[in-house]
Amino acid sequence: IVQHEYGLYDGRDGVSILALMARLTVPTMVVAHTVVGDPSASQRYILGEVCRMADVVVVMTDTARDRLIAGFDVEAGKVVVIPHGAATPLANPAFSSQRPNPATPRLLTWGLLGPGKGIEWAIDSLDAVADLRPHPEYIVAGVTHPKVREQCGEAYREMLVARATQSRSGSHVVFDDAYRDLESLTELITSADLVVLPYDSADQVTSGVLVDAVAAGRPVVSTAFPHAVELLASGAGIVVPQRDPIALGEAIRSVLTDPDLAASMAAEASRLASGLSWAAVTERYVTLAGEITDERARVAR
């Protein structure tokens, strides 16, 4: 099983993966994490060659599958969609009550921080719900991405803190950079009334944070990146345009002020959760691995 992400391998766009793939003699399954909609010539060539040398290519969304087939000339029969697994279990009611002020609505964004996460727009959107009482608190959990810190230090986080300070709602924004194991992360996610994913990218076909939020039964307000558009289409969340704090604020208000809407979103997220568990995802990989191994054996005979 070869995980493909352009930044994982040496050379321009991770070109060294081609030498690795060329030496493999066993049945090979490639998991393509990033399939850009408008690839450079180098990106198109490298991923196209990786897929050509693989027995099967796994992607996590229908959008990624369509892009591979249309933009990278990959055989349709070679591409299989298996969703991203969820690291967090379905919401535990015991967790959600463990809050200092349980009556105060809690918004949550978590993950490694860096430009493109769009958290500045979520901070700006709080002014649109400043009249709500009690005022919602917004938790931003996570450390700066190591590669971002190496190149730019803590500039993005510092910009966010300054933006929150200047906002009318700044006192309700909490930055949490504590390390969290799975249990602690699950407790944090399930304590949220609403998960906010304000990402700038319109190109993101895979988001583990999104999957974990849905698997934990949390309503989601997200910008319209491809994975969110697909996963939230049945009602587990609301999708808004990128870089639009007004639209983001309106969506947040609608969830926080309409208990029936929030309940229906949480119920749909819970319905989707079983298919997103790592147990369910693993079983699909095991089945697929058996199929390509059997096919190799059949051809060899």
Short mmCIF file of all heavy atoms in Angstrom, two decimals, residues 83-91 210-218 231 234 236 265-281:
data_model
loop_
_atom_site.label_atom_id
_atom_site.label_comp_id
_atom_site.label_asym_id
_atom_site.label_seq_id
_atom_site.Cartn_x
_atom_site.Cartn_y
_atom_site.Cartn_z
N PRO A 83 -14.00 5.69 1.59
CA PRO A 83 -13.96 6.94 2.35
C PRO A 83 -12.83 6.98 3.37
O PRO A 83 -12.29 5.95 3.78
CB PRO A 83 -15.33 6.96 3.05
CG PRO A 83 -15.76 5.54 3.10
CD PRO A 83 -15.21 4.90 1.85
N HIS A 84 -12.49 8.19 3.75
CA HIS A 84 -11.51 8.41 4.82
C HIS A 84 -12.08 7.85 6.12
O HIS A 84 -13.24 8.08 6.45
CB HIS A 84 -11.26 9.91 4.96
CG HIS A 84 -10.07 10.27 5.79
ND1 HIS A 84 -9.98 9.97 7.14
CD2 HIS A 84 -8.91 10.91 5.48
CE1 HIS A 84 -8.82 10.41 7.61
NE2 HIS A 84 -8.16 10.99 6.62
N GLY A 85 -11.28 7.12 6.86
CA GLY A 85 -11.76 6.59 8.14
C GLY A 85 -11.78 7.66 9.22
O GLY A 85 -11.12 8.68 9.12
N ALA A 86 -12.58 7.39 10.24
CA ALA A 86 -12.73 8.35 11.34
C ALA A 86 -11.95 7.88 12.55
O ALA A 86 -12.05 6.73 12.97
CB ALA A 86 -14.21 8.50 11.71
N ALA A 87 -11.18 8.79 13.14
CA ALA A 87 -10.38 8.46 14.32
C ALA A 87 -11.18 8.59 15.60
O ALA A 87 -10.77 8.10 16.63
CB ALA A 87 -9.16 9.38 14.39
N THR A 88 -12.33 9.25 15.54
CA THR A 88 -13.13 9.45 16.75
C THR A 88 -14.40 8.62 16.68
O THR A 88 -15.02 8.49 15.63
CB THR A 88 -13.52 10.93 16.90
OG1 THR A 88 -14.20 11.36 15.73
CG2 THR A 88 -12.30 11.79 17.12
N PRO A 89 -14.82 8.05 17.82
CA PRO A 89 -16.06 7.28 17.85
C PRO A 89 -17.28 8.19 17.85
O PRO A 89 -17.15 9.41 18.01
CB PRO A 89 -15.97 6.50 19.15
CG PRO A 89 -15.14 7.39 20.04
CD PRO A 89 -14.15 8.07 19.12
N LEU A 90 -18.44 7.59 17.69
CA LEU A 90 -19.68 8.34 17.74
C LEU A 90 -19.80 9.07 19.08
O LEU A 90 -19.32 8.60 20.10
CB LEU A 90 -20.87 7.40 17.56
CG LEU A 90 -22.25 8.01 17.41
CD1 LEU A 90 -22.31 8.88 16.17
CD2 LEU A 90 -23.31 6.92 17.35
N ALA A 91 -20.45 10.22 19.05
CA ALA A 91 -20.51 11.08 20.23
C ALA A 91 -20.92 10.32 21.49
O ALA A 91 -21.89 9.57 21.49
CB ALA A 91 -21.50 12.22 19.97
N LEU A 210 -13.00 16.83 8.85
CA LEU A 210 -14.41 16.77 8.49
C LEU A 210 -14.99 15.40 8.82
O LEU A 210 -16.09 15.29 9.40
CB LEU A 210 -14.57 17.05 6.99
CG LEU A 210 -15.95 16.81 6.38
CD1 LEU A 210 -16.99 17.73 7.01
CD2 LEU A 210 -15.92 17.00 4.87
N VAL A 211 -14.29 14.34 8.47
CA VAL A 211 -14.78 12.99 8.73
C VAL A 211 -14.92 12.74 10.23
O VAL A 211 -15.91 12.18 10.70
CB VAL A 211 -13.84 11.94 8.09
CG1 VAL A 211 -14.23 10.54 8.52
CG2 VAL A 211 -13.89 12.05 6.58
N ASP A 212 -13.93 13.18 11.01
CA ASP A 212 -14.00 13.00 12.45
C ASP A 212 -15.18 13.75 13.06
O ASP A 212 -15.84 13.27 13.98
CB ASP A 212 -12.70 13.47 13.11
CG ASP A 212 -11.57 12.47 12.95
OD1 ASP A 212 -11.83 11.35 12.47
OD2 ASP A 212 -10.43 12.81 13.30
N ALA A 213 -15.46 14.95 12.54
CA ALA A 213 -16.59 15.73 13.05
C ALA A 213 -17.91 15.01 12.79
O ALA A 213 -18.77 14.89 13.68
CB ALA A 213 -16.60 17.11 12.40
N VAL A 214 -18.08 14.52 11.57
CA VAL A 214 -19.32 13.81 11.23
C VAL A 214 -19.42 12.52 12.02
O VAL A 214 -20.49 12.17 12.54
CB VAL A 214 -19.38 13.55 9.71
CG1 VAL A 214 -20.55 12.64 9.36
CG2 VAL A 214 -19.49 14.87 8.95
N ALA A 215 -18.31 11.78 12.14
CA ALA A 215 -18.34 10.52 12.88
C ALA A 215 -18.65 10.72 14.35
O ALA A 215 -19.16 9.81 15.01
CB ALA A 215 -17.00 9.81 12.72
N ALA A 216 -18.36 11.91 14.87
CA ALA A 216 -18.68 12.22 16.26
C ALA A 216 -20.10 12.76 16.42
O ALA A 216 -20.50 13.14 17.52
CB ALA A 216 -17.68 13.24 16.82
N GLY A 217 -20.85 12.80 15.32
CA GLY A 217 -22.25 13.23 15.39
C GLY A 217 -22.43 14.71 15.56
O GLY A 217 -23.48 15.16 16.04
N ARG A 218 -21.43 15.51 15.14
CA ARG A 218 -21.52 16.96 15.31
C ARG A 218 -22.06 17.63 14.05
O ARG A 218 -21.64 17.30 12.93
CB ARG A 218 -20.14 17.55 15.59
CG ARG A 218 -19.45 17.05 16.85
CD ARG A 218 -20.23 17.37 18.11
NE ARG A 218 -21.25 16.36 18.39
CZ ARG A 218 -22.18 16.48 19.32
NH1 ARG A 218 -22.26 17.57 20.05
NH2 ARG A 218 -23.06 15.52 19.51
N LEU A 231 -19.85 15.10 1.42
CA LEU A 231 -20.21 14.41 2.66
C LEU A 231 -21.39 15.06 3.36
O LEU A 231 -22.17 14.38 4.03
CB LEU A 231 -18.99 14.37 3.60
CG LEU A 231 -19.12 13.50 4.86
CD1 LEU A 231 -19.47 12.06 4.50
CD2 LEU A 231 -17.83 13.54 5.67
N SER A 234 -26.27 15.31 2.32
CA SER A 234 -27.52 14.69 2.80
C SER A 234 -28.07 15.36 4.04
O SER A 234 -29.10 14.93 4.57
CB SER A 234 -27.28 13.20 3.08
OG SER A 234 -26.29 13.01 4.08
N ALA A 236 -25.99 16.69 6.97
CA ALA A 236 -25.21 16.72 8.20
C ALA A 236 -24.55 18.07 8.42
O ALA A 236 -23.96 18.31 9.48
CB ALA A 236 -24.14 15.62 8.19
N MET A 265 -29.31 17.82 11.81
CA MET A 265 -27.95 17.71 11.30
C MET A 265 -27.15 16.68 12.10
O MET A 265 -26.42 15.85 11.54
CB MET A 265 -27.26 19.08 11.35
CG MET A 265 -27.83 20.08 10.36
SD MET A 265 -27.27 21.78 10.66
CE MET A 265 -25.53 21.65 10.28
N ALA A 266 -27.30 16.73 13.43
CA ALA A 266 -26.59 15.77 14.28
C ALA A 266 -27.07 14.34 14.00
O ALA A 266 -26.27 13.40 13.98
CB ALA A 266 -26.79 16.13 15.75
N ALA A 267 -28.37 14.18 13.78
CA ALA A 267 -28.92 12.85 13.50
C ALA A 267 -28.39 12.29 12.19
O ALA A 267 -28.05 11.11 12.08
CB ALA A 267 -30.44 12.91 13.47
N GLU A 268 -28.27 13.15 11.18
CA GLU A 268 -27.74 12.69 9.89
C GLU A 268 -26.26 12.36 10.00
O GLU A 268 -25.78 11.38 9.41
CB GLU A 268 -27.98 13.75 8.82
CG GLU A 268 -27.44 13.40 7.44
CD GLU A 268 -28.01 12.10 6.87
OE1 GLU A 268 -29.03 11.59 7.38
OE2 GLU A 268 -27.40 11.58 5.90
N ALA A 269 -25.53 13.17 10.77
CA ALA A 269 -24.11 12.86 11.00
C ALA A 269 -23.97 11.51 11.67
O ALA A 269 -23.11 10.69 11.29
CB ALA A 269 -23.47 13.96 11.84
N SER A 270 -24.80 11.24 12.66
CA SER A 270 -24.75 9.96 13.36
C SER A 270 -25.10 8.80 12.43
O SER A 270 -24.53 7.71 12.53
CB SER A 270 -25.71 9.97 14.55
OG SER A 270 -25.32 10.96 15.49
N ARG A 271 -26.03 9.03 11.51
CA ARG A 271 -26.39 7.98 10.56
C ARG A 271 -25.21 7.64 9.65
O ARG A 271 -24.98 6.46 9.31
CB ARG A 271 -27.58 8.43 9.70
CG ARG A 271 -28.11 7.35 8.76
CD ARG A 271 -29.14 7.90 7.80
NE ARG A 271 -28.56 8.77 6.80
CZ ARG A 271 -27.95 8.33 5.69
NH1 ARG A 271 -27.81 7.03 5.47
NH2 ARG A 271 -27.46 9.20 4.81
N LEU A 272 -24.45 8.66 9.25
CA LEU A 272 -23.31 8.45 8.37
C LEU A 272 -22.12 7.81 9.09
O LEU A 272 -21.24 7.22 8.46
CB LEU A 272 -22.86 9.78 7.77
CG LEU A 272 -23.84 10.49 6.82
CD1 LEU A 272 -23.33 11.89 6.51
CD2 LEU A 272 -24.04 9.69 5.54
N ALA A 273 -22.10 7.93 10.41
CA ALA A 273 -20.91 7.58 11.17
C ALA A 273 -20.48 6.13 11.01
O ALA A 273 -19.28 5.84 10.93
CB ALA A 273 -21.12 7.90 12.65
N SER A 274 -21.42 5.20 10.97
CA SER A 274 -21.05 3.78 10.96
C SER A 274 -20.22 3.42 9.73
O SER A 274 -19.31 2.60 9.79
CB SER A 274 -22.30 2.90 11.01
OG SER A 274 -23.14 3.14 9.89
N GLY A 275 -20.51 4.05 8.60
CA GLY A 275 -19.75 3.77 7.38
C GLY A 275 -18.40 4.43 7.35
O GLY A 275 -17.59 4.16 6.45
N LEU A 276 -18.12 5.30 8.33
CA LEU A 276 -16.86 6.03 8.38
C LEU A 276 -15.90 5.47 9.42
O LEU A 276 -14.78 5.96 9.57
CB LEU A 276 -17.12 7.51 8.68
CG LEU A 276 -18.00 8.25 7.67
CD1 LEU A 276 -18.29 9.66 8.18
CD2 LEU A 276 -17.34 8.31 6.30
N SER A 277 -16.31 4.45 10.15
CA SER A 277 -15.43 3.88 11.19
C SER A 277 -14.23 3.22 10.53
O SER A 277 -14.31 2.70 9.41
CB SER A 277 -16.20 2.85 12.02
OG SER A 277 -16.45 1.68 11.25
N TRP A 278 -13.10 3.21 11.25
CA TRP A 278 -11.92 2.56 10.70
C TRP A 278 -12.16 1.07 10.49
O TRP A 278 -11.60 0.47 9.57
CB TRP A 278 -10.72 2.79 11.61
CG TRP A 278 -10.03 4.09 11.36
CD1 TRP A 278 -9.85 5.11 12.24
CD2 TRP A 278 -9.42 4.53 10.13
NE1 TRP A 278 -9.18 6.15 11.64
CE2 TRP A 278 -8.90 5.81 10.34
CE3 TRP A 278 -9.29 3.95 8.87
CZ2 TRP A 278 -8.24 6.54 9.35
CZ3 TRP A 278 -8.62 4.67 7.87
CH2 TRP A 278 -8.12 5.94 8.12
N ALA A 279 -13.01 0.46 11.31
CA ALA A 279 -13.31 -0.97 11.13
C ALA A 279 -13.96 -1.21 9.77
O ALA A 279 -13.60 -2.14 9.03
CB ALA A 279 -14.20 -1.46 12.26
N ALA A 280 -14.94 -0.37 9.42
CA ALA A 280 -15.63 -0.52 8.14
C ALA A 280 -14.71 -0.22 6.97
O ALA A 280 -14.71 -0.92 5.96
CB ALA A 280 -16.85 0.41 8.10
N VAL A 281 -13.89 0.82 7.12
CA VAL A 281 -12.96 1.20 6.05
C VAL A 281 -11.90 0.12 5.86
O VAL A 281 -11.56 -0.26 4.73
CB VAL A 281 -12.31 2.56 6.37
CG1 VAL A 281 -11.15 2.85 5.43
CG2 VAL A 281 -13.36 3.68 6.28
#
